[in-house]
Amino acid sequence: MKFGKSGVLGLLTLLLLIGLGIFFSKNYFRLFSDDPMIVITNQVGDTANMGRASPKLNEQGMLLEVLGSKDSGCPPDTVLNEQQLLNLPQQTFKTSHTWSKEPQTFSGPLLEDVLKYVCPDKKFIKLHLRALDGYAIDLNFPAVQKYRPIVALTVNGEGMKIRDKGHLWVMAPLDDFNIPERSLDELLIWQLNQISVNLTE
Ligand SMILES: Nc1nc2c(c(=O)[nH]1)N[C@H]1C(S)=C(S)[C@@H](COP(=O)(O)O)O[C@H]1N2
Ligand SMILES: [Mo]
């Protein structure tokens, strides 16, 4: 069989394209396939499995409830106000993200620091984050350490109303990571109001 120069070139191009395809699809799915660090457990509108709304959160300035399971190293029920969140070391970063054309600057404490503050005796591994609209995810602690999400209190220096995805919006310095666009979006909960902390199973 004769195999001309252009045949060889065509074959090489085909191999290159297949290789690239495999490389990109692998990269895309790696985040969630090996070890699902982030799992959506409740879509907006699902009423099953809704966390109980804490009456304490209605009090002035009370923004975030942290529920500790038995032996998690966290008290059963802690309610944090804005000042307590502002008293923790503040992180500020500018990043592009899905919900804005221009990069924006986010400020707030690291989620990890919030957990350390509430649970000095840290033994937790599994987190369950929940928002006012019912959206919820399970999050493994390694994802928190890897992507360094903050509990943002301000965007471009301004506090957020509930209608602007406030009062608390989980945001990560996305531009620091070489990851596919939107691949961490499910971590970026807005209207965050409750964190449940569980000991590893
Ligand atoms: N409070 C809240 N945060 C949320 C969500 C939500 O429905 N409610 N959806 C999450 C998911 S799964 C993704 S992909 C993006 C979706 O944002 P979009 O609905 O604006 O596309 O936000 C994340 N944060
Ligand atoms: Mo999503």
Side-chain angles (χ1 to χ4, degrees), residues 37-49:
M37 295 201 289
I38 304 165
V39 177
I40 299 177
T41 51
N42 219 35
Q43 301 284 0
V44 175
D46 293 352
T47 44
N49 191 31

Side-chain angles (χ1 to χ4, degrees), residues 2 23 28 74 92 98 102 110 114 147 154 176 186 188:
K2 250 198 156 182
F23 177 77
Y28 193 83
C74 310
T92 299
T98 300
E102 299 293 320
L110 282 172
V114 175
Y147 297 112
T154 65
D176 288 1
E186 46 206 58
L188 309 177

Side-chain angles (χ1 to χ4, degrees), residues 16-59:
L16 184 75
L17 285 176
I18 293 173
L20 280 175
I22 292 174
F23 177 77
F24 281 112
S25 57
K26 265 206 171 145
N27 261 338
Y28 193 83
F29 291 114
R30 193 188 45 205
L31 270 174
F32 302 110
S33 56
D34 295 357
D35 170 26
M37 295 201 289
I38 304 165
V39 177
I40 299 177
T41 51
N42 219 35
Q43 301 284 0
V44 175
D46 293 352
T47 44
N49 191 31
M50 282 282 278
R52 71 198 158 80
S54 171
K56 295 182 203 160
L57 286 177
N58 298 327
E59 287 167 33

Side-chain angles (χ1 to χ4, degrees), residues 179-193:
I179 49 173
E181 212 179 312
R182 300 212 61 171
S183 58
L184 276 185
D185 276 6
E186 46 206 58
L187 166 67
L188 309 177
I189 301 183
W190 56 83
Q191 301 176 341
L192 175 75
N193 74 331

Side-chain angles (χ1 to χ4, degrees), residues 131-148:
L132 287 173
D133 61 0
Y135 177 81
I137 60 168
D138 280 337
L139 187 61
N140 286 343
F141 194 64
V144 174
Q145 290 179 308
K146 183 165 183 188
Y147 297 112
R148 307 193 303 276

Side-chain angles (χ1 to χ4, degrees), residues 8-121:
V8 174
L9 256 178
L11 198 68
L12 284 178
T13 314
L14 191 69
L15 283 176
L16 184 75
L17 285 176
I18 293 173
L20 280 175
I22 292 174
F23 177 77
F24 281 112
S25 57
K26 265 206 171 145
N27 261 338
Y28 193 83
F29 291 114
R30 193 188 45 205
L31 270 174
F32 302 110
S33 56
D34 295 357
D35 170 26
M37 295 201 289
I38 304 165
V39 177
I40 299 177
T41 51
N42 219 35
Q43 301 284 0
V44 175
D46 293 352
T47 44
N49 191 31
M50 282 282 278
R52 71 198 158 80
S54 171
K56 295 182 203 160
L57 286 177
N58 298 327
E59 287 167 33
Q60 197 63 27
M62 295 304 192
L63 296 184
L64 183 62
E65 183 173 38
V66 183
L67 305 175
S69 74
K70 195 167 166 290
D71 303 325
S72 64
C74 310
D77 191 348
T78 307
V79 184
L80 299 176
N81 62 29
E82 185 174 5
Q83 197 54 54
Q84 285 170 298
L85 293 170
L86 287 170
N87 286 347
L88 294 170
Q90 301 293 298
Q91 313 294 325
T92 299
F93 54 76
K94 190 173 186 168
T95 187
S96 51
H97 63 87
T98 300
W99 300 274
S100 163
K101 284 204 189 104
E102 299 293 320
Q104 291 184 310
T105 302
F106 290 86
S107 284
L110 282 172
L111 176 57
E112 184 172 2
D113 286 344
V114 175
L115 294 169
K116 282 182 180 156
Y117 171 68
V118 179
C119 327
D121 195 15

